[in-house]
Amino acid sequence: MKLSVLGCSGSAPGPSAPSSGYLLEADGFLLGMELGNGTLAELQALRDPFDLDALLFSHLHPDHCADFTALTVVRRYHPRPPRDPRVHRLPVHAPGEAPSRFVAAYSPDEADRAVTDLTDVFEFHALAAGTIHIGPFRVDAAKAAHPCEAYSFRIVHDGRSLVFTGDSGPAAALDELAVGADVLLAEASWTHAEDRPPGLHLSGTQAGRLAHAAGVGRLLVTHVPPWTDADAVFAEARAEFAGPAELVVKGGTYEI
Ligand SMILES: [Zn+2]
Ligand SMILES: [Zn+2]
């Protein structure tokens, strides 16, 4: 499977740097994972948004889903869609509050919310911990350590595995999910210090330790906020993990 990075700025977009957004492609199936602020612009630079076959969201913080509103406009109002979005409704796998969350973000006022549920162009599926299948991908979801309903994913295709932490502090379920993964796409939102709030994010050190303990084949570090020294965060991860490691960049592609 192929991973493409639409954006990787943590917590908020940065200068010319969209928030979290990824594409996963295998067997001609295109799965969008997260659609944070600015990612629809980058998606259109790479692909037709109508090429998406499904969407997957780890959680509903704006830096992971804000451009769902923009995608809704494209799907509803594009005058010449290559596929009729009302016939081919886009499957959306997300935490259970996604429909009300996305309607609230999309609709400008109460009157519009009263008549809009977005199911004209989307088909919502509530996530839970466990295994689902999306197109050719097997997706194992585990609850993440984050202050809202949030998941980490292990995505498997043709014997190859990508583990995505989503946003998460250290967690036993994440340790287990990551064991032996070919690639670990790990958030690292800050440098390591004792006064970091628990149950929120990984430091570079913790991302590196996770990769080492799980014995992953390759570490990709993502979700560094625009106000954080990305080189310092990445240096921490490298110090803990001896295998191949990279700080991902917008537009980067990775064969898993
Ligand atoms: Zn985030
Ligand atoms: Zn978050």
Side-chain angles (χ1 to χ4, degrees):
M1 64 183 128
K2 180 180 162 191
L3 169 70
S4 303
V5 178
L6 302 175
C8 54
S9 183
S11 301
S16 303
S19 300
S20 294
Y22 307 94
L23 297 175
L24 273 169
E25 192 164 16
D27 297 346
F29 189 96
L30 190 64
L31 173 64
M33 183 168 73
E34 322 287 59
L35 212 51
N37 330 67
T39 51
L40 195 77
E42 189 62 19
L43 172 60
Q44 290 174 93
L46 298 178
R47 300 292 292 262
D48 186 328
F50 287 96
D51 288 348
L52 287 168
D53 292 300
L55 283 173
L56 176 66
F57 291 96
S58 69
H59 68 296
L60 302 176
H61 275 148
D63 61 313
H64 295 254
C65 67
D67 271 15
F68 189 89
T69 55
L71 181 65
T72 303
V73 174
V74 170
R75 290 185 65 78
R76 279 190 157 176
Y77 298 112
H78 192 295
R80 294 173 304 282
R83 283 201 287 187
D84 185 343
R86 288 173 176 78
V87 174
H88 302 279
R89 296 188 307 150
L90 186 63
V92 178
H93 301 266
E97 287 196 34
S100 58
R101 171 86 173 86
F102 290 155
V103 165
Y106 172 83
S107 289
D109 55 32
E110 204 170 308
D112 193 59
R113 279 194 295 280
V115 296
T116 298
D117 68 3
L118 307 184
T119 59
D120 54 330
V121 292
F122 296 107
E123 179 188 286
F124 292 101
H125 302 269
L127 279 174
T131 298
I132 56 173
H133 290 85
I134 305 175
F137 301 106
R138 192 191 89 209
V139 179
D140 303 325
K143 279 278 177 71
H146 205 55
C148 57
E149 184 181 352
Y151 297 90
S152 304
F153 300 121
R154 185 182 182 106
I155 300 170
V156 181
H157 175 263
D158 201 19
R160 301 287 293 174
S161 53
L162 167 72
V163 168
F164 173 51
T165 59
D167 281 8
S168 182
L174 177 56
D175 293 346
E176 197 178 313
L177 198 70
V179 169
D182 292 298
V183 175
L184 172 65
L185 177 62
E187 73 120 304
S189 296
W190 44 45
T191 51
H192 200 66
E194 295 307 317
D195 62 349
R196 304 300 190 195
L200 194 58
H201 290 297
L202 298 176
S203 66
T205 297
Q206 289 165 332
R209 285 177 183 166
L210 173 63
H212 173 76
V216 305
R218 186 179 182 192
L219 171 63
L220 301 178
V221 174
T222 189
H223 199 277
V224 181
W227 51 79
T228 296
D229 181 346
D231 292 336
V233 169
F234 184 60
E236 285 190 355
R238 285 225 79 132
E240 300 290 334
F241 178 65
E246 274 180 67
L247 190 62
V248 302
V249 293
K250 179 186 75 171
T253 59
Y254 307 87
E255 281 299 331
I256 307 295

